[in-house]
Amino acid sequence: MNDESRSTKFLEDYAPPDYLIKQVSLDVRLAPKDARIASTLSIEPNADTAAGTPLVLDGEALTLERVAVNGQDLEPGRYTLAPGKLTIANPPMGAFTLDIVTRCDPEANTELQGLYLSSGVYCTQCEPEGFRRITYFVDRPDVLATYTVRVEADRESAPVLLSNGNPVETGEIDGTGRHYAVWHDPHPKPSYLFALVGGNLASVHDSFTTASGREVALGIYVEPGKEDRCDWAMESLKRAMRWDEERFGLEYDLDVFNIVAVSDFNMGAMENKGLNIFNDKLVLARPDTASDADYTAIESVIAHEYFHNWTGNRVTCRDWFQLCLKEGLTVFRDQEFTGDVRMGPVERILTARLLKARQFPEDAGPLSHPVRPASYIEINNFYTATVYEKGAELCRMLQTLLGQDAFRQGIALYFERHDGEAATVEDFVSAMADASGRDLAQFMRWYTQSGTPELACSLDYDAHTKTAKLTVSQVVPPTPGQIRKEPMHIPLKVGLIGANGDELPLKLNGELVQDGLLEVTEREQVFEFEDIPAPPTPSILRDFSAPVRITSSLKPKQIEFLMIHDSDPFNRWQAAQTYATNLIASAARNGLDLEPVSGTQAGRLAQALEPTLRDETLAPTYRAETLKLPSESDIARELGRDVDTDAILMARDTLRTTLSTALAATLTEIYEGSATDGAFSPDPDSAGRRALRNAALDLMSATGTPEAVERALRHYRGATNMTDAIMALSVLSQIPSPARDEALEHFYARWQDDPLVLDKWFAVQARAARPDSVETVQALLGHPKFSLKNPNRVRALIGSFAMANPSGFNRADGAGFRFLADQALEIDGFNPHVSARLLGAFESWKTLESGRQAHAKAALETLAGQKLSTDAYEIVTKTLGSA
Ligand code: B3K
Ligand code: ZN
């Protein structure tokens, strides 16, 4: 670490690069401890660069062997090496060639950025700043070059050699046992999209013919023996390729598209041009090893990385502040894809739930930042829910405001203008404005103002004039560094429902409102709907048309009405969530008074749920979502302060028990009636039926009675696929009993040698809300199969505990906080990316009640006094509010 790495970088300091690199030729000789990289760069000064401007290259963890300009070796005095930088003081004027030879150590690379070994396979991760750990380079996304890469390795240990683009040549190096492959990528790309892989990998192959008739060879490379787990990823890839042609007219542009699955990976996957590298968790699936949730995640991430080929790769980001330009847009595209091919209207529910669970707390806490941040210390810390998920909502709002056709034209114009370039958020929004003729100046605030806007809505009915007046006022709360906010441009979809459940036409100033879409632009705005015969019930923020919080003065009766009559599937689901949230929150707030979650109101909730649960015309997935109560974190967010996670757990469990009893007949019918037989199929309908049945099982088990345990054990024993097995295990793991131990032992015995499945075994125990969960997780750290070095295992055990076990992590004695701080500190010593992510679990500490707050603060302060990576330092100091 050097001083510069802890400095703050500002968007407003952006300056174009002094030098451009047009062509890169790499010769990479792989060896476990000593890889040799020879690079030849065609460099030219940028348009406004003065003669004699030094050339500064980035480099980390490299040993420099040679630098030559136009073929002439440079004497040590002609260049300087400082931490992180190689400077050539006086490069030639005009275009020149730079040769660099460096060495690096893939085996010692525990950060998993740059070139590293994962279970014997060489692979790379370059986004955002990993290429500088492979060779010296102007490692920033606005330097785009074409790459020719020769990879050489020992033939026996690395028979497969891959890089970006199209294959050119392969050959043997006689008498050495080594071989090589040459790849060429004709599309100019930034260094973060570079990739190479070398290893002993098995593969499956297929092909895809694009709309214009180009034949693309598809390959998926996996650990030998896992070939039978690749079908789903391959099908998903082909579906995504077709969908992008149909929906956006975007075709693939190389002869090959390869995916490699590796077992040590810091995140989900990476969109390197023509050579996506994946965490194997998001590739490998077989009915007995992967759950429906895994299948869904694989389909969506395969699509996401593929979609980056246009949004991210063909048009990339000018600088890392623009990250949402590729990530928000690509998440939006993968959500649309999942909605079209799998989830239908349920996609919006899942997306909104994720946004509220992950992005809302981020935006309400010390780490809040705009979708396009104005500053950062470590860019790796900004791959956040705000950039990704809220970024996707911004694209969706644009589509809502412009309409799907104009939005597609805007995308086309964006590519017409910027193909092969590095662009900005302004470029994207200008293309949308120009394609649609809309003024989007105010909309730009969504990219620069942080915080979740709060909309207060109230409806007044005037029987005399037959008008319904909707008053909407908006406030964007203050966030770190941003005290005063300007009003936002918010697409607000609404409906008014008549007493008999009919949708009423919405008329404003004599004109019908299309799709119920209102545009809120002022701090306060009134919409007066005409010709409303009787007092209606308002349905606000339909389809979750904007990432905002709504407060409305709906009475419980009106919410019950919406649960039954709202024609908008999102809001009908939301009504049930709101009702349950209100009950649990009011019980949790009152400490020991459990009346709201056990009395009359809870009974009314059960009654209002029945029609949806029993409506067989509704998709099973939708009914399954209706059965899921708001999470403990949802309730904590609703409370906003003085959070006592034990009180929340108690209130929520009580409501679950009440509903379980009140809905017993319905749940039994669903459970018995939606059993599937025959072979497992991951198709949406079958998955939906499993989801419904499993949601019923989960709620039925809330009573914790011997019958419930017995049922769950039967479910476990009878499971013919991972979806059913893991749900039963999860239910059992919450209830101490011999059945719980039996199932956990059985699962372990069966899957101990299958790392991805074993991760589920660790995760299920880490999530179980029990008084001794800190001790359970602590004990599992010592399990022979646990390793701090494997990110998937760390996330399964420590991550699940910190992010998905609120009562355990926030335990009143502070043991959960201390546990996480200790583990993160140890991991920080060798993989800052993973430790910084884990520390994100502290983001809401200021909403806790004072006792817990004091423990969290003490744990953070202890950390702040330690030697930390730049990544962890930024998270810890900002979380404490001391940055
Ligand atoms: N672009 C990568 C994420 C890289 C994260 C680096 N810390 C995967 C994705 O979002 O598609
Ligand atoms: Zn992405």
Side-chain angles (χ1 to χ4, degrees), residues 100-113:
I100 298 174
V101 178
T102 53
R103 304 258 176 186
C104 67
D105 184 344
E107 202 172 77
N109 185 349
T110 56
E111 283 186 36
L112 315 186
Q113 303 192 68

Side-chain angles (χ1 to χ4, degrees), residues 127 267 269 271 304-305 308 326-327 380 383 388 833:
E127 185 180 359
M267 64 264 174
E271 70 263 24
H304 177 97
E305 305 309 334
H308 268 313
K326 73 179 181 79
E327 294 305 347
N380 264 309
Y383 288 74
Y388 275 65
H833 192 282

